[in-house]
C-alpha cells in the first residue's frame, strides 16, 4: 500500500514472504485460504486505523482564538441583533435544504460582510484544533454556522426557527458522530461570529471617524468658533464704547463663543462632542481676552480706552 509506486523493487521479496505465510497458515488452519484472507484484512484494517490516528494528530500551524469578556461578547451580540427581524428569520428558515442542511444564505453573507463561501469555510476552520473537523465537508461547517447565527443573532424569534434548527442540528450530529467534536465545531462557529461582529463594529467606527474628517474635525470647529467670537467681541467694544473689566469681557466673549458653536452645530455636519468643543473654545477665547487686557494698565486693545 505505502510503496505501491516501487513494486519492481519489492515484488520478489513479497512473493517469498507470501509463500512463507501461506505455509505457516496451512499447518495451523484447516481452511487456510479463508484464514490467510482474514489475516490480510486485519492487517489492512489496523493500517488504516493507525493512519487515521496519525493523520488527525498532525500539527495545526494556523489556529485562531477569540478571548473576550462576557460584557464584550454581549455587546457584540447586541450589535449584531440590532437589525434582526421576523421576516429575515422566516426567509432564512425557508431556505433549509430538503435533507436538513443549510447553504450560506445571502442575508447572512451580507450582514456579516462575508466575501465568499470559500472565505467563510477557511476562516471557520482556523478556529478548530481538530484536523478531523478541519477536513470535514464544507456543508457541515456552513450548516453548523447557520445554526449558530440563528441561535445567537435571531434569538428573539425562536418560535419561528426552533423546529428548523432541531432538524439541522440532527443533520450535523449524524455526520459528526462525536459529541466532543460537535461541541468544538459549534465553538469555532461562535468564535468566528464574534470575530466578524468585532470587525463590523470597528469598520463602522472607522467610517464615522472618516466622516468627521470629511466634514468638520474638532480643531477646525474650535478655531472657527473662537475666531468669530473674538471678531464679534472686538466689534462690540468699538461700537458700544462700553467699559468692560476683565471679568465682564470674559463673560461677554463666552456668550459669543456659545452663539458660534450653536450656529456651527446647527448648520454644518459634524460628529464631535458639542460640550467638549464649547469648553475648549471658551478656554481659547478667554486666553485672547486676557491678552487684550493688561493687568497693570487695564487697557482694552480693541478701542484703546483705559479702564
Amino acid at each position: 500500500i505505502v510503496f505501491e509506486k516501487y513494486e519492481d523493487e519489492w515484488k520478489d521479496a513479497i512473493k517469498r514472504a507470501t509463500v512463507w505465510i501461506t505455509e505457516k497458515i496451512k499447518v495451523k488452519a484447516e481452511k487456510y485460504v479463508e484464514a490467510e484472507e482474514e489475516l490480510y484484512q486485519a492487517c489492512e484494517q489496523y493500517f488504516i486505523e493507525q493512519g487515521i490516528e496519525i493523520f488527525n494528530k498532525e500539527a495545526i500551524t494556523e489556529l485562531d482564538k477569540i478571548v473576550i469578556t462576557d460584557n464584550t461578547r454581549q455587546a457584540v451580540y447586541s450589535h449584531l441583533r440590532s437589525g434582526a427581524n421576523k421576516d429575515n428569520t422566516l426567509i432564512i428558515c425557508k431556505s433549509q435544504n430538503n435533507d436538513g442542511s443549510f447553504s450560506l444564505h445571502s442575508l447572512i453573507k451580507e450582514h456579516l460582510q462575508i466575501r465568499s463561501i470559500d472565505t467563510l469555510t477557511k476562516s471557520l476552520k482556523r478556529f478548530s484544533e481538530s484536523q478531523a473537523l478541519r477536513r470535514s465537508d464544507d456543508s457541515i461547517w456552513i450548516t453548523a454556522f447557520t445554526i449558530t447565527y440563528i441561535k445567537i443573532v435571531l434569538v428573539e424569534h425562536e418560535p419561528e426557527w426552533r423546529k428548523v434548527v432541531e432538524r439541522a442540528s440532527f443533520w450535523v450530529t449524524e455526520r459528526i458522530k462525536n459529541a466532543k467534536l460537535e461541541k468544538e465545531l459549534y465553538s469555532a462557529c461562535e468564535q468566528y461570529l464574534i470575530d466578524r461582529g468585532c470587525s463590523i463594529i470597528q469598520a463602522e467606527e472607522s467610517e464615522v471617524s472618516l466622516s468627521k474628517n470629511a466634514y468638520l474635525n474638532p480643531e477646525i470647529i474650535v478655531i472657527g468658533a473662537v475666531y468669530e467670537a473674538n471678531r464679534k467681541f472686538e466689534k462690540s467694544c468699538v461700537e458700544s464704547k462700553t467699559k468692560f473689566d476683565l471679568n465682564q469681557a470674559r463673560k461677554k466673549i463666552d456668550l459669543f463663543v456659545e452663539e458660534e458653536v450653536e450656529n456651527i452645530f446647527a448648520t454644518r455636519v459634524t460628529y464631535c462632542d458639542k460640550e467638549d468643543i464649547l469648553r475648549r473654545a471658551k478656554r481659547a477665547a478667554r486666553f485672547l481676552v486676557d491678552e487684550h487686557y493688561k493687568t497693570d494698565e487695564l487697557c482694552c486693545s480693541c478701542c484703546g480706552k483705559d479702564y
Side-chain angles (χ1 to χ4, degrees):
I1 294 175
V2 177
F3 299 115
E4 181 182 6
K5 293 181 179 180
Y6 308 101
E7 184 177 355
D8 291 340
E9 281 72 26
W10 53 253
K11 187 186 301 182
D12 293 338
I14 291 297
K15 282 183 179 179
R16 290 197 300 271
T18 303
V19 170
W20 182 87
I21 289 174
T22 301
E23 291 298 321
K24 295 296 181 181
I25 292 178
K26 278 184 179 181
V27 176
K28 299 290 183 179
E30 184 177 343
K31 296 182 178 180
Y32 68 91
V33 176
E34 291 84 350
E36 187 174 355
E37 184 178 347
E38 185 177 344
L39 171 65
Y40 286 120
Q41 287 177 349
C43 290
E44 183 177 1
Q45 182 64 32
Y46 175 77
F47 179 78
I48 292 173
E49 290 177 356
Q50 289 299 107
I52 291 174
E53 185 175 347
I54 294 171
F55 189 69
N56 289 335
K57 285 184 178 179
E58 289 181 3
I60 299 291
T61 56
E62 295 181 345
L63 178 65
D64 291 339
K65 199 77 173 178
I66 296 292
V67 180
I68 58 173
T69 64
D70 287 338
N71 288 339
T72 301
R73 183 191 305 272
Q74 293 307 317
V76 172
Y77 288 169
S78 178
H79 186 82
L80 290 175
R81 290 167 182 159
S82 60
N85 57 63
K86 183 177 179 180
D87 290 341
N88 286 351
T89 303
L90 293 174
I91 291 172
I92 293 173
C93 288
K94 288 179 180 178
S95 72
Q96 187 174 35
N97 298 321
N98 292 332
D99 61 0
S101 65
F102 275 104
S103 300
L104 180 63
H105 198 280
S106 59
L107 287 175
I108 299 176
K109 183 180 178 182
E110 292 171 7
H111 182 199
L112 300 179
Q113 300 173 15
I114 298 171
R115 286 180 292 178
S116 66
I117 294 176
D118 185 57
T119 299
L120 170 63
T121 53
K122 285 182 178 179
S123 299
L124 283 169
K125 292 174 182 180
R126 288 173 63 93
F127 288 98
S128 172
E129 297 181 4
S130 168
Q131 286 285 13
L133 274 181
R134 288 193 173 204
R135 295 187 177 99
S136 296
D137 191 80
D138 288 352
S139 62
I140 295 175
W141 281 96
I142 294 172
T143 300
F145 179 68
T146 301
I147 292 170
T148 303
Y149 178 91
I150 291 173
K151 283 185 172 181
I152 293 175
V153 179
L154 306 177
V155 63
E156 295 182 1
H157 307 285
E158 184 177 353
E160 281 69 42
W161 56 251
R162 187 185 300 114
K163 291 183 178 180
V164 170
V165 166
E166 286 177 357
R167 186 165 173 243
S169 299
F170 179 77
W171 183 90
V172 171
T173 300
E174 285 296 296
R175 279 147 186 81
I176 297 297
K177 297 184 183 298
N178 184 303
K180 184 178 179 180
L181 288 181
E182 188 172 348
K183 182 178 180 181
E184 183 178 337
L185 171 67
Y186 286 114
S187 174
C189 290
E190 182 180 4
Q191 289 188 72
Y192 175 74
L193 179 63
I194 293 171
D195 182 63
R196 291 307 308 147
C198 291
S199 297
I200 291 170
I201 292 172
Q202 290 173 357
E204 290 176 357
E205 289 177 348
S206 296
E207 186 176 340
V208 169
S209 177
L210 288 173
S211 296
K212 290 179 182 179
N213 294 331
Y215 295 102
L216 290 178
N217 64 42
E219 298 303 324
I220 292 176
I221 296 176
V222 170
I223 293 171
V226 172
Y227 174 83
E228 281 300 310
N230 188 58
R231 186 186 64 80
K232 289 182 178 181
F233 172 73
E234 291 182 347
K235 183 179 179 181
S236 69
C237 288
V238 173
E239 291 177 348
S240 66
K241 298 182 180 180
T242 303
K243 294 182 179 180
F244 300 114
D245 62 27
L246 182 58
N247 288 332
Q248 290 175 326
R250 295 182 74 175
K251 289 180 180 179
K252 190 170 184 65
I253 202 168
D254 277 354
L255 294 176
F256 286 126
V257 168
E258 291 173 3
E259 181 182 328
E260 284 306 309
V261 170
E262 286 290 340
N263 181 57
I264 290 172
F265 274 80
T267 59
R268 302 293 296 274
V269 178
T270 178
Y271 296 91
C272 302
D273 185 335
K274 184 177 178 181
E275 293 302 317
D276 178 62
I277 294 296
L278 185 59
R279 183 170 55 254
R280 291 165 60 185
K282 283 184 177 181
R283 186 166 61 244
R286 288 170 185 171
F287 173 79
L288 293 179
V289 169
D290 291 346
E291 288 297 304
H292 288 169
Y293 284 78
K294 306 300 181 182
T295 55
D296 55 339
E297 297 179 358
L298 286 179
C299 174
C300 176
S301 61
C302 304
C303 57
K305 286 187 175 290
D306 292 333
Y307 298 139

